[in-house]
């Protein structure tokens, strides 16, 4: 499931921080939840490491020169490009932002079934996960 998204003219640590803070604010993330990324400077910055630590999130990086470590992420980003961005001309950044938001929130998270999730949508999988957790606590 995509927990948060941000967009800007450049890949900066501020974009990552905004996404992390949005995810933490909007979702009940358990202590020790893993934030995985590649080794881009925006992800390895001190401010991102600090925000993750303050949020109780663990940071995980792909290994150097091992793009296979990030296969899920690479696969995810290929999907909106193919399904929502390519062959479209956006007049403004705001128009592009709205299209990506609609793709994630109205399609990817809620209607796009995924084999690796047992042919459930990400939201359906997450709901089942929370039900399993609540039963094991009770």
């Amino acid at each position: 499931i995509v927990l948060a998204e941000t967009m800007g003219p450049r890949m900066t640590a501020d974009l990552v921080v905004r996404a992390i803070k949005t995810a933490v604010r909007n979702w009940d993330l358990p202590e020790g939840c893993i934030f995985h990324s590649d080794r881009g400077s925006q992800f390895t910055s001190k401010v991102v490491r600090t925000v993750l630590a303050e949020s109780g999130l663990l940071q995980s990086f792909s290994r150097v020169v091992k793009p296979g470590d990030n296969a899920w992420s690479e696969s995810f980003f290929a999907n909106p490009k193919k399904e929502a961005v390519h062959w479209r001309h956006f007049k403004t950044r705001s128009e592009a932002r709205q299209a990506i938001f609609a793709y994630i929130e109205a399609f990817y998270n809620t209607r796009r079934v995924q084999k690796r999730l047992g042919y459930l949508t990400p939201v359906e999988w997450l709901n089942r996960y929370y039900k399993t957790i609540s039963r094991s606590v009770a």
Side-chain angles (χ1 to χ4, degrees):
I1 191 161
V2 178
L3 302 178
E5 75 279 335
T6 55
M7 183 184 279
R10 295 181 344 200
M11 294 280 291
T12 63
D14 178 59
L15 280 176
V16 179
V17 167
R18 286 183 7 226
I20 293 166
K21 287 183 176 183
T22 299
V24 168
R25 182 177 59 248
N26 293 341
W27 295 88
D28 184 22
L29 300 177
E31 179 95 12
C33 190
I34 297 171
F35 177 86
H36 183 76
S37 69
D38 63 22
R39 293 180 178 269
S41 62
Q42 67 274 23
F43 298 114
T44 60
S45 69
K46 183 176 182 178
V47 66
V48 167
R49 290 192 322 262
T50 300
V51 168
L52 288 170
E54 289 171 350
S55 302
L57 304 176
L58 301 177
Q59 191 166 27
S60 167
F61 295 109
S62 56
R63 293 171 292 176
V64 176
V65 195
K66 296 288 183 183
D69 287 355
N70 245 7
W72 178 89
S73 182
E74 298 297 332
S75 175
F76 167 76
F77 284 107
N79 289 326
K81 288 176 186 176
K82 290 184 286 192
E83 298 172 357
V85 174
H86 286 176
W87 314 113
R88 291 187 61 186
H89 174 73
F90 300 107
K91 293 178 183 166
T92 64
R93 187 176 310 276
S94 178
E95 190 179 313
R97 183 179 294 114
Q98 289 172 355
I100 296 298
F101 178 84
Y103 174 81
I104 292 170
E105 299 299 334
F107 177 67
Y108 185 86
N109 279 348
T110 59
R111 294 194 340 232
R112 191 175 194 279
V113 297
Q114 298 181 29
K115 182 179 179 179
R116 72 177 177 276
L117 298 178
Y119 296 97
L120 299 171
T121 68
V123 168
E124 289 170 334
W125 184 91
L126 190 61
N127 286 336
R128 283 190 181 183
Y129 170 78
Y130 281 134
K131 284 179 186 175
T132 302
I133 295 300
S134 67
R135 279 189 295 230
S136 67
V137 172

